[in-house]
Amino acid sequence: MLRYASRRVLSAIPIAFIAVSICFFILRLAPGGPFDGERALPPLVLANLRAHYNLDQPLINQYFIYIWRLLQGDLGPSMVIEGFEVSQLIAIGFPFTLTLALSAFVIATIIGILAGMVAAVNQNKWPDYVMVLAVMIGVIVPNFLMAALLQLWFGVYLDWFPAGGWVSGRWEYLVLPITVLAWPHAGRISRLMRGSMIEVLGTNYVRTARSKGLGERLVMARHAIKPALVPVVSYLGPGLSYLLTGSLAVEQIFGLPGIGKYFVTAALNRDYGIVLGTTLLYMFIILALNLLVDLLYAWLDPKVRYR
């Protein structure tokens, strides 16, 4: 297992290098720049700024300078937020983003698994139909539209929860953002769990367990849940990465102090350092989550072995 994990880590290095290179050149070749504001800067000031951030050098030189700094663990300075390094801004905003995404992940995973089990046991009955309807709403409606609707209904009309902003230690400010993030994730997990559970409940060993007189709850707990979780686990890694990336837009809509506000502002203002640094962070998180999911396969399914 450890040998397999080490091979996966080594194989991820060239993938990360290629992804960083592609992101670097896409950003630099896009129209506009970090100093192209509405108010034009004096030519001397603009030249000094470009020289300070190495933007006056050929593109290939800028690339090798960035890669050399990156190998030393330096993500570079922010070109728009004066006096801050990219690593400092990530350290400020990412803990809140991670807390928000993990909260939505845990809640959605528990609800999705339970809803999928209930729908599978009550196949083609009203609990199954209710679950399908909830899944369709969560999957079809994009998160930015869902966020606006929940803000309007529960934040403005009903005044049950704050429509935006953040006050430290006040959990009610997180109810609507977590709902927006968790709903589609729970819907996808419940669909996977429902289909997998229906298939497992029709297997020979489950029928044999029932024929021996075991109760339905005991059959589910001992024989059905664990194999039914295999396709769900395969989605959990990408699902958490979707929540982390999706939280960027949700944070911007609700005005939360996560990394989303830095990323969106940086993308609009061509702040190359923050965009590349955030992209690198999420890329390594996705690779790590996929590796963790592969390792969990061996625990859930005894037939899976990595050689």
Side-chain angles (χ1 to χ4, degrees):
M1 188 74 70
L2 292 176
R3 189 175 299 175
Y4 170 79
S6 61
R7 286 201 301 267
R8 283 292 302 268
V9 171
L10 291 176
S11 65
I13 294 176
I15 297 175
F17 177 77
I18 293 172
V20 170
S21 302
I22 292 174
C23 292
F24 179 90
F25 286 107
I26 287 177
L27 283 172
R28 297 303 172 98
L29 294 174
F35 309 118
D36 299 340
E38 297 181 359
R39 181 180 178 182
L41 296 173
L44 182 60
V45 175
L46 181 60
N48 290 334
L49 285 173
R50 292 179 61 83
H52 178 71
Y53 293 107
N54 300 312
L55 297 179
D56 59 336
Q57 299 191 27
L59 184 60
I60 192 66
N61 290 358
Q62 298 179 39
Y63 171 72
F64 284 117
I65 290 173
Y66 181 78
I67 293 297
W68 175 248
R69 289 180 173 176
L70 188 61
L71 292 175
Q72 296 176 327
D74 183 9
L75 296 176
S78 171
M79 299 180 184
V80 176
I81 305 176
E82 185 179 357
F84 281 92
E85 297 286 327
V86 173
S87 57
Q88 292 176 319
L89 295 174
I90 291 177
I92 292 172
F94 186 68
F96 185 91
T97 298
L98 185 62
T99 302
L100 181 66
L102 285 177
S103 301
F105 175 79
V106 172
I107 294 172
T109 301
I110 294 174
I111 293 176
I113 290 174
L114 293 177
M117 291 171 57
V118 171
V121 173
N122 298 277
Q123 186 181 5
N124 297 327
K125 297 179 182 178
W126 71 264
D128 190 15
Y129 298 142
V130 171
M131 192 277 293
V132 171
L133 177 61
V135 167
M136 288 181 59
I137 295 175
V139 173
I140 293 175
V141 180
N143 58 2
F144 62 88
L145 178 58
M146 181 66 71
L149 292 174
L150 292 184
Q151 278 182 322
L152 184 63
W153 292 339
F154 297 102
V156 178
Y157 292 159
L158 299 177
D159 196 24
W160 288 358
F161 303 103
W166 169 246
V167 177
S168 180
R170 300 285 297 275
W171 62 268
E172 60 267 23
Y173 284 85
L174 296 178
V175 172
L176 296 183
I178 288 177
T179 302
V180 173
L181 288 174
W183 196 335
H185 183 70
R188 295 185 183 98
I189 288 179
S190 63
R191 288 178 61 187
L192 289 172
M193 190 66 187
R194 175 186 180 274
S196 179
M197 182 63 74
I198 290 174
E199 182 178 352
V200 169
L201 291 177
T203 56
N204 292 330
Y205 63 86
V206 171
R207 286 197 293 265
T208 301
R210 286 172 173 168
S211 66
K212 291 181 178 180
L214 293 179
E216 191 67 24
R217 292 183 180 179
L218 198 58
V219 170
M220 295 282 288
R222 289 187 178 180
H223 302 283
I225 293 179
K226 190 174 178 179
L229 284 174
V230 173
V232 175
V233 169
S234 67
Y235 173 76
L236 292 183
L240 180 55
S241 64
Y242 296 155
L243 288 176
L244 286 169
T245 53
S247 66
L248 300 181
V250 173
E251 289 170 6
Q252 186 73 9
I253 294 172
F254 285 97
L256 300 174
I259 201 174
K261 66 176 182 180
Y262 299 125
F263 182 80
V264 173
T265 303
L268 295 175
N269 295 325
R270 299 295 191 272
D271 194 339
Y272 303 133
I274 295 180
V275 175
L276 281 171
T278 307
T279 303
L280 270 172
L281 175 66
Y282 283 114
M283 178 183 62
F284 282 112
I285 289 175
I286 292 171
L287 291 174
L289 290 174
N290 288 333
L291 173 60
L292 180 61
V293 166
D294 287 344
L295 297 178
L296 284 175
Y297 274 152
W299 177 72
L300 285 173
D301 191 349
K303 294 181 292 184
V304 176
R305 288 294 181 266
Y306 298 112
R307 296 177 182 267

